[in-house]
Amino acid sequence: MKKSFKAILLVIAGAALLALAACGGNKDDALSTKKISIGVTGGPHQQIAEEVKKLAKKDGLDITIKTFDDYNTPNTALNDGDIDTNNYQTIPFLDQQKKDKGYKLSIAFKTVAFPMGIYSKQIKDIKDLKKGDKIAVPNDPANEYRALKLFEKAGVIKLKKGVSQKATKNDVAENPLKLDIVELEASQLPSQLSEVRAAAINTNFAMGANLTINDDAIYHEPIKNNPYPNVFVVRTANKDDEVVKTLKKYYQSKELKAFIEKEFKGSVVPAF
């Protein structure tokens, strides 16, 4: 009798565990075609996601937008299954995160680009930089490399050959003006602009300080065919899910393209 009773308890316990597993779901399951969550950073990505949400609602797809205030958490949340997708990052940033943290994430499609600009409150042309001037760049790996490459393209400095995405000011090979390169937190660059002669600032932070590529930058990356598109990212297991194809249709629609061009006036551009 005792053995039979134990056997019954084991069966009941097993059934309960199966029921809990069924309720909890699995982050590797196919994403729902009715409900989906998108992780974004505040600002343009959130605004764009809100427009996508409106388009999707007409077709019966309910989108939940989750806004983050940093660049690391959205990938952690996606990898751990706390959100279904995200859209906020460039390819080099994603590649570095995957390398450093082992995330199983994949690019689904390109969305927009944020051309980086060099801004100044003291000079009107990049050629007006003088010997010993201070210039500022973001201090995070992906963006510092990008900023240094921008100054290089402007003819101000030259980087070492074969420099990697983790380049810092120590990788500058030629600095004829002996410029003092200051590395700062990306979000702090606009507020520190008056303390340096010029600074390479990410567009989202520039926009927050009412700086625009077309009106205020003294030099900037290409607006068309920008080399740093932002990408829509999913867990690798969900890359070919039906809802991902549906979201691509919205993100790359003529309606969204028109919204981006009208709303951001060149500071954010379609990358599709």
Side-chain angles (χ1 to χ4, degrees):
M1 285 292 290
K2 287 183 180 180
K3 286 184 179 180
S4 298
F5 183 68
K6 285 182 180 179
I8 291 168
L9 286 176
L10 286 171
V11 170
I12 293 170
L17 286 171
L18 285 171
L20 285 171
C23 291
N26 190 310
K27 68 178 182 180
D28 293 332
D29 289 345
L31 297 172
S32 169
T33 56
K34 298 295 182 184
K35 281 186 161 188
I36 196 86
S37 59
I38 302 175
V40 296
T41 46
H45 280 304
Q46 183 177 1
Q47 291 173 261
I48 291 168
E50 294 288 356
E51 290 301 307
V52 168
K53 182 174 181 175
K54 291 176 189 176
L55 294 173
K57 189 174 182 180
K58 295 175 184 177
D59 293 338
L61 174 60
D62 182 22
I63 294 177
T64 299
I65 301 167
K66 297 193 176 181
T67 306
F68 297 85
D69 58 7
D70 72 287
Y71 285 154
N72 292 306
T73 312
N75 278 337
T76 302
L78 177 57
N79 187 74
D80 293 348
D82 297 326
I83 55 175
D84 299 320
T85 66
N86 72 38
N87 178 45
Y88 76 101
Q89 63 194 312
T90 60
I91 297 171
F93 182 82
L94 173 64
D95 288 345
Q96 195 64 52
Q97 290 246 305
K98 288 166 65 176
K99 182 179 178 181
D100 292 345
K101 301 181 181 181
Y103 293 150
K104 293 181 180 178
L105 305 178
S106 293
I107 296 167
F109 51 87
K110 296 176 183 177
T111 55
V112 294
F114 291 64
M116 180 181 278
I118 296 173
Y119 298 86
S120 176
K121 288 188 175 181
Q122 302 174 43
I123 58 176
K124 300 294 184 183
D125 193 303
I126 194 74
K127 294 177 182 177
D128 294 333
L129 282 171
K130 292 182 172 59
K131 192 170 183 177
D133 278 346
K134 282 186 179 182
I135 61 172
V137 296
N139 65 3
D140 58 288
N143 285 311
E144 182 164 3
Y145 169 78
R146 183 177 175 181
L148 291 169
K149 288 294 287 185
L150 185 57
F151 275 111
E152 181 180 57
K153 191 168 183 181
V156 174
I157 59 171
K158 189 171 282 189
L159 296 173
K160 295 173 183 175
K161 288 184 179 179
V163 69
S164 73
Q165 293 285 346
K166 283 191 172 182
T168 70
K169 65 180 183 180
N170 297 325
D171 294 296
V172 174
E174 296 179 26
N175 183 1
L177 291 175
K178 299 189 184 307
L179 299 169
D180 181 6
I181 303 172
V182 182
E183 298 163 320
L184 297 171
E185 172 67 34
S187 62
Q188 297 301 312
L189 286 165
S191 64
Q192 296 298 310
L193 190 55
S194 60
E195 304 299 318
V196 297
R197 186 72 71 179
I201 305 178
N202 292 82
T203 294
N204 55 323
F205 296 124
M207 289 176 68
N210 295 315
L211 298 170
T212 65
I213 283 288
N214 290 323
D215 295 335
D216 303 300
I218 61 172
Y219 192 83
H220 59 76
E221 290 175 346
I223 290 176
K224 289 186 178 180
N225 301 316
N226 186 274
Y228 297 97
N230 279 226
V231 287
F232 196 89
V233 178
V234 297
R235 290 182 291 277
T236 300
N238 299 124
K239 187 178 178 181
D240 297 318
D241 286 1
E242 192 62 36
V243 73
V244 176
K245 297 172 187 175
T246 302
L247 288 166
K248 180 180 179 180
K249 179 183 73 173
Y250 298 132
Y251 267 95
Q252 298 187 353
S253 66
K254 62 181 182 180
E255 292 90 348
L256 198 69
K257 185 174 185 286
F259 168 79
I260 292 165
E261 290 173 346
K262 181 180 178 182
E263 184 71 20
F264 304 115
K265 299 177 176 61
S267 289
V268 182
V269 294
F272 49 88

